[in-house]
Amino acid sequence: MQTTKLLTASLATAVLLTAFVPDTLIKTAFKQAEQQAQLMLSDVALAATKPAGNKPALVSPRTLDKSGDLQLVPARDWTSGFFPGELWYLFEYTDKPEWKKQAQLLTAKLENEKMNAGTHDMGFKIYCSYGNGYRLTRDPAYRDVLIQAARTLTKRFKPAAGIIRSWDHHKEVWQCPVIIDNMMNLELLFAATRLTGDSTFYRIAFTHARTTMKNHYRPDYSSYHVVDYDTLTGKVLKKNTHQGFSDESAWARGQAWGLYGYTLCYRETKDPQFLKQAEAIAHFMLNHPHMPADLVPYYDFDAPGIPNEPRDVSAAAVMASALYELSTYKSDSPYRAKADHIITSLAKQYASPVGKNHGFLLLHSTGAKTTEIDMPLIYADYYYLEALLRSKKLNEKKSLF
Ligand code: GLY
């Protein structure tokens, strides 16, 4: 009897030690994602039948509006690449040709963006769509789009300051604003060097990451949202927020972008300074006294009304995906267990009921302090699927890339 008990206890411990996000949870989440994506595709097609007039065509879903209707965006919006990316992830998981076809159709609508030098959001738009498409199909036409998009993005590099300019709007407020989100666009540049052998892209990405490390981060490894530069002298003019609670606060998604960004910089360069940075950011986020037990942050770690402040599920999804990758660079670290914890929370407590919310997968994201509060957001869904795929690959002891 005693032996049986001991055996059961040690088996339970072994299961606990090896039980990551169970395959059944991943399978259910993808089954629901397929059903939701079907719904979203038909709602996107319906919305696209409305005449656009002189306005650019609306091609991708972003969120819901106040009356609960699907809000679509034109290709130039920073979020246009996420739904095509979601379709690529469905294809990757299921291997069903119908998902590949839909992914190809929606990806194709973004091609003109490869020439749009008016924004830094090239990586979000083109790498999530064409980047995943190229990874999964090796279609040379996708490769060409990636290279052209990277070339266009390099036009925004300001050598004196050592950064890629983020926004062109709000010229009355900032001379040359750089937002922490811009770290995410570096993935496209690193890929372009791999695809072409031209190290220019790599050097720009490396310089941007180094400058951002120096000027965006506080001693506690929290990040400012916006840093404004003088493009002639390279001097920092201001440090602000645009979407967070205040200039000195830690906007949650910005922290998650930084975590993901420095993790990918380490993947691409193997420079230990980037791994150290990613770990320090993870430490700041995971140990913050305002981090809730389910590891889904409030929209800002310093929002004054915590615990009565909106959560940001998108920050949690980005964080989970980044932590899975970070766990592969650090054995004996808590990162994988923490990512598992986040993914389990999202799947169990934040998923939309199937057939509702125009096909969004997750509820309770927050775009900014004053807009898109407690809404579904397409990028939360994209990074959730990416994290689920990473979890599956780790369970199967496969490489993430
Ligand atoms: N621009 C990216 C974000 O809102 O997080």
Side-chain angles (χ1 to χ4, degrees):
M1 181 67 180
Q2 190 61 19
T3 324
T4 322
K5 262 192 194 159
L6 276 177
L7 197 63
T8 318
S10 63
L11 270 178
T13 313
V15 169
L16 261 184
L17 287 175
T18 51
F20 297 110
V21 169
D23 289 339
T24 48
L25 184 149
I26 299 172
K27 203 168 162 189
T28 306
F30 268 95
K31 192 164 170 237
Q32 290 174 352
E34 282 193 87
Q35 291 169 293
Q36 289 297 85
Q38 285 291 5
L39 173 61
M40 188 164 267
L41 276 171
S42 47
D43 287 0
V44 167
L46 194 67
T49 58
K50 291 185 192 143
N54 291 334
K55 295 203 182 117
L58 298 172
V59 297
S60 290
R62 172 170 169 149
T63 184
L64 301 178
D65 65 19
K66 288 212 172 82
S67 26
D69 290 334
L70 189 61
Q71 199 192 323
L72 296 175
V73 291
R76 65 164 186 243
D77 188 271
W78 78 273
T79 64
S80 65
F82 294 115
F83 189 50
E86 176 177 327
L87 298 170
W88 283 117
Y89 285 148
L90 289 179
F91 171 57
E92 182 172 4
Y93 182 83
T94 63
D95 206 26
K96 291 182 186 166
E98 56 265 36
W99 289 122
K100 181 179 180 185
K101 187 167 161 242
Q102 291 300 340
Q104 285 168 323
L105 286 172
L106 271 87
T107 295
K109 292 178 194 281
L110 309 187
E111 181 168 352
N112 286 347
E113 288 307 297
K114 70 185 179 190
M115 304 307 292
N116 180 358
T119 166
H120 71 136
D121 286 321
M122 196 66 100
F124 281 128
K125 288 187 282 189
I126 296 295
Y127 205 70
C128 299
S129 54
Y130 282 90
N132 278 310
Y134 184 65
R135 182 174 60 83
L136 296 170
T137 66
R138 297 287 154 192
D139 181 339
Y142 287 178
R143 176 183 178 278
D144 294 348
V145 172
L146 290 170
I147 296 167
Q148 179 54 57
R151 251 188 222 122
T152 305
L153 179 57
T154 60
K155 295 194 180 130
R156 300 181 68 78
F157 183 62
K158 307 290 170 203
I163 47 81
I164 301 163
R165 181 189 182 111
S166 291
W167 296 325
D168 287 353
H169 58 76
H170 287 88
K171 287 203 165 108
E172 71 293 358
V173 184
W174 299 297
Q175 188 191 130
C176 180
V178 177
I179 59 173
I180 187 64
D181 325 26
N182 205 344
M183 288 298 301
M184 300 297 284
N185 295 309
L186 306 184
E187 200 166 16
L188 171 68
L189 297 179
F190 286 121
T193 285
R194 267 200 315 282
L195 293 172
T196 60
D198 178 353
S199 63
T200 314
F201 305 105
Y202 180 111
R203 280 187 279 115
I204 289 177
F206 188 93
T207 307
H208 181 96
R210 285 271 305 144
T211 312
T212 299
M213 223 162 97
K214 190 166 111 221
N215 295 328
H216 263 78
Y217 280 86
R218 307 180 180 108
D220 65 358
Y221 291 93
S222 68
S223 161
Y224 286 92
H225 181 200
V226 190
V227 173
D228 187 24
Y229 289 89
D230 182 317
T231 49
L232 295 180
T233 64
K235 209 174 129 228
V236 171
L237 300 174
K238 289 183 210 152
K239 299 189 180 192
N240 299 130
T241 195
H242 189 55
Q243 286 156 259
F245 168 66
S246 72
D247 289 345
E248 291 303 322
S249 72
W251 174 52
R253 197 165 57 257
Q255 312 313 306
W257 292 143
L259 173 65
Y260 194 117
Y262 282 101
T263 304
L264 83 84
C265 284
Y266 179 68
R267 178 207 318 155
E268 296 289 350
T269 65
K270 290 289 169 276
D271 189 324
Q273 67 179 318
F274 296 139
L275 180 59
K276 191 171 154 267
Q277 184 75 8
E279 286 207 273
I281 300 167
H283 187 268
F284 172 83
M285 296 181 83
L286 291 169
N287 297 292
H288 198 287
H290 289 163
M291 177 61 99
D294 64 6
L295 299 185
V296 176
Y298 297 97
Y299 84 96
D300 193 306
F301 283 100
D302 300 301
I306 288 173
N308 301 311
E309 294 279 1
R311 301 289 189 99
D312 182 12
V313 158
S314 74
V318 173
M319 192 181 172
S321 190
L323 287 173
Y324 278 130
E325 180 176 359
L326 195 56
S327 76
T328 66
Y329 307 134
K330 274 291 190 187
S331 51
D332 298 329
S333 67
Y335 305 135
R336 184 169 175 194
K338 296 292 183 187
D340 287 341
H341 187 143
I342 297 172
I343 285 303
T344 308
S345 298
L346 296 183
K348 297 205 164 151
Q349 295 163 48
Y350 294 87
S352 165
V354 170
K356 301 278 183 213
N357 297 299
H358 293 274
F360 283 100
L361 308 183
L362 296 173
L363 308 175
H364 308 302
S365 286
T366 296
K369 180 184 171 184
T370 52
T371 53
E372 300 178 325
I373 298 163
D374 196 14
M375 298 301 271
L377 288 168
I378 194 67
Y379 40 98
D381 295 358
Y382 172 87
Y383 288 104
Y384 174 55
L385 292 191
E386 182 178 270
L388 283 163
L389 277 167
R390 288 181 173 189
S391 176
K392 177 173 181 280
K393 287 173 190 171
L394 290 175
N395 284 354
E396 293 167 356
K397 305 202 183 318
K398 287 189 181 148
S399 152
L400 296 191
F401 300 98

